[in-house]
């Protein structure tokens, strides 16, 4: 498994001291750089339960699937329940936290984004921060993913049977099959892969660049040349929520990340996120997160934070 080794940056060590380590990818000795496949039993032997339970922010992708048992996993402060056949995908930069892995069996696949070729990364939308975290494929999709995972696992553990360059190429192709299958579940055979609505994509991209400046749907509508109703219809169809809630969830997620990862005060975070004053930020956060900014920080970093 990728680990935070002695060569990590001072920033990573500082984050680790606060309980939210940034974890770089470090391939096991003798294996191809960029990908690792291990069982949950291997994970339990390698990493102490207490360390797994703490929040961490990996700089690489995690794909996790179970064959038996159950597991609770938290990603960006949202809890997910895994069962056999489901797939969890944690992307770089997301905060995740393991539940009790004692009774779960399954496979964990770790990979750097640059291990995939660019065409695959684009087609699988691996950079999409809004992609689903948890998927539960059925029927043919489930079987195809099971076979892809099995082939990838076998090839990873067949180190030395092929020249290293060939072995690495095989792993890259097998991983590509897996992520493409996961990214495009339940697409009818022979049908084009459905693309997200252009209105939604434009709004989503504009939000990523402007959410620290405005939280008003009207401003985004004016910016993009749409009506507010059009934006709400687009986000409702693509994300299942209206435009205002879509904006608010992005702002709150950024606030949570800053509270968890940084030592900035609530006042500094309020200013960074474009609030007029700390009181306005605290009220906004409490209404949407159910607790104060400082209360949230203490809940994820401990009462001494």
């Amino acid at each position: 498994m990728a680990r935070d080794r002695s060569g990590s940056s001072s920033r990573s060590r500082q984050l680790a001291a606060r309980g939210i380590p940034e974890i770089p990818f470090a391939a096991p000795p003798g294996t191809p750089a960029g990908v690792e496949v291990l069982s949950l039993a291997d994970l339990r032997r390698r990493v102490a339960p207490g360390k797994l339970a703490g929040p961490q922010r990996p700089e690489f992708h995690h794909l996790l699937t179970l064959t038996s048992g159950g597991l609770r996993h938290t990603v960006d402060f949202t809890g997910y329940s895994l069962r056999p056949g489901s797939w969890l995908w944690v992307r770089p930069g997301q905060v995740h936290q393991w539940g009790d892995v004692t009774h779960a069996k399954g496979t964990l696949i770790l990979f750097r984004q640059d291990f995939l070729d660019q065409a695959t990364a684009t087609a699988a939308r691996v950079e999409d921060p809004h992609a689903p975290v948890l998927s539960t494929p059925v029927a043919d999709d489930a079987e195809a993913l099971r076979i892809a995972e099995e082939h990838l696992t076998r090839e990873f553990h067949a180190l030395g049977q092929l020249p290293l360059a060939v072995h690495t190429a095989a792993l890259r192709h097998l991983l590509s099959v897996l992520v493409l299958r996961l990214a495009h579940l339940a697409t009818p055979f022979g049908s084009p892969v459905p693309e997200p609505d252009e209105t939604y994509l434009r709004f989503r991209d504009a939000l990523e660049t402007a959410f620290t400046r405005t939280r008003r749907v009207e401003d985004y509508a004016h910016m993009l040349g749409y009506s507010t109703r059009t934006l709400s219809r687009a986000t409702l169809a693509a994300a299942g929520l209206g435009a205002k809630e879509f904006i608010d969830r992005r702002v709150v997620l950024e606030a949570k990340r800053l509270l968890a990862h940084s030592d900035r005060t609530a006042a500094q975070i309020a200013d960074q996120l474009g609030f007029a004053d700390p009181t306005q930020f605290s009220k906004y956060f409490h209404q949407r997160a159910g607790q104060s900014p400082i209360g949230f920080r203490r809940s994820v970093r401990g009462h001494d934070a």
Side-chain angles (χ1 to χ4, degrees), residues 64-66 69-75 78-88 97 99 104 133-136:
L64 174 63
T65 187
L66 301 185
L71 180 63
R72 184 77 172 169
H73 205 99
T74 301
V75 181
T78 298
Y80 298 90
S81 295
L82 281 81
R83 58 182 178 81
S86 59
W87 284 83
L88 186 86
Q97 190 169 356
V133 172
L134 184 67
S135 302
T136 305

Side-chain angles (χ1 to χ4, degrees), residues 165-186:
V166 177
H167 176 64
T168 301
L171 289 173
R172 181 174 292 111
H173 289 305
L174 291 169
L175 178 61
S176 296
V177 171
L178 183 61
V179 298
L180 287 167
R181 280 282 187 176
L182 270 175
H184 300 291
L185 293 174

Side-chain angles (χ1 to χ4, degrees), residues 123 125 183-184 187 191-195:
R125 301 170 188 153
H184 300 291
T187 300
S191 300
V193 174
E195 293 294 331

Side-chain angles (χ1 to χ4, degrees), residues 65-278:
T65 187
L66 301 185
T67 54
S68 68
L71 180 63
R72 184 77 172 169
H73 205 99
T74 301
V75 181
D76 266 339
F77 318 105
T78 298
Y80 298 90
S81 295
L82 281 81
R83 58 182 178 81
S86 59
W87 284 83
L88 186 86
W89 191 336
V90 184
R91 286 167 167 77
Q94 292 180 314
V95 180
H96 78 129
Q97 190 169 356
W98 291 83
D100 184 3
V101 298
T102 304
H103 304 293
K105 294 182 179 179
T107 300
L108 176 62
I109 300 162
L110 313 173
F111 66 95
R112 288 168 50 98
Q113 191 155 300
D114 59 8
F115 186 73
L116 297 170
D117 65 82
Q118 187 56 52
T120 297
T122 300
R125 301 170 188 153
V126 298
E127 295 181 351
D128 184 0
H130 301 279
V133 172
L134 184 67
S135 302
T136 305
V138 297
D140 292 344
D141 280 332
E143 180 64 7
L145 285 167
R146 185 193 65 77
I147 293 171
E149 178 270 318
E150 183 179 324
H151 284 184
L152 178 64
T153 299
R154 287 184 177 181
E155 183 60 38
F156 181 81
H157 293 291
L159 184 65
Q161 296 181 12
L162 293 171
L164 182 59
V166 177
H167 176 64
T168 301
L171 289 173
R172 181 174 292 111
H173 289 305
L174 291 169
L175 178 61
S176 296
V177 171
L178 183 61
V179 298
L180 287 167
R181 280 282 187 176
L182 270 175
H184 300 291
L185 293 174
T187 300
F189 179 76
S191 300
V193 174
E195 293 294 331
D197 179 76
E198 181 184 0
T199 302
Y200 167 74
L201 291 177
R202 292 188 65 206
F203 179 34
R204 187 189 71 186
D205 292 345
L207 179 61
E208 286 301 310
T209 62
F211 72 85
T212 60
R213 299 194 300 274
T214 179
R215 297 178 296 281
R216 288 167 35 90
V217 179
E218 294 83 356
D219 291 340
Y220 290 97
H222 178 74
M223 187 188 311
L224 298 171
Y226 298 122
S227 68
T228 57
R229 181 176 296 180
T230 296
L231 290 185
S232 284
R233 281 200 302 261
T235 58
L236 188 62
L241 58 155
K244 183 64 172 77
E245 186 177 354
F246 191 71
I247 294 169
D248 288 343
R249 287 192 181 187
R250 182 63 185 91
V251 174
V252 169
L253 174 59
E254 194 67 20
K256 286 180 174 181
R257 287 174 169 173
L258 290 169
L259 287 164
H261 302 318
S262 77
D263 286 329
R264 294 180 181 89
T265 65
Q268 290 170 327
I269 293 173
D271 182 66
Q272 182 171 340
L273 294 180
F275 287 88
D277 56 63

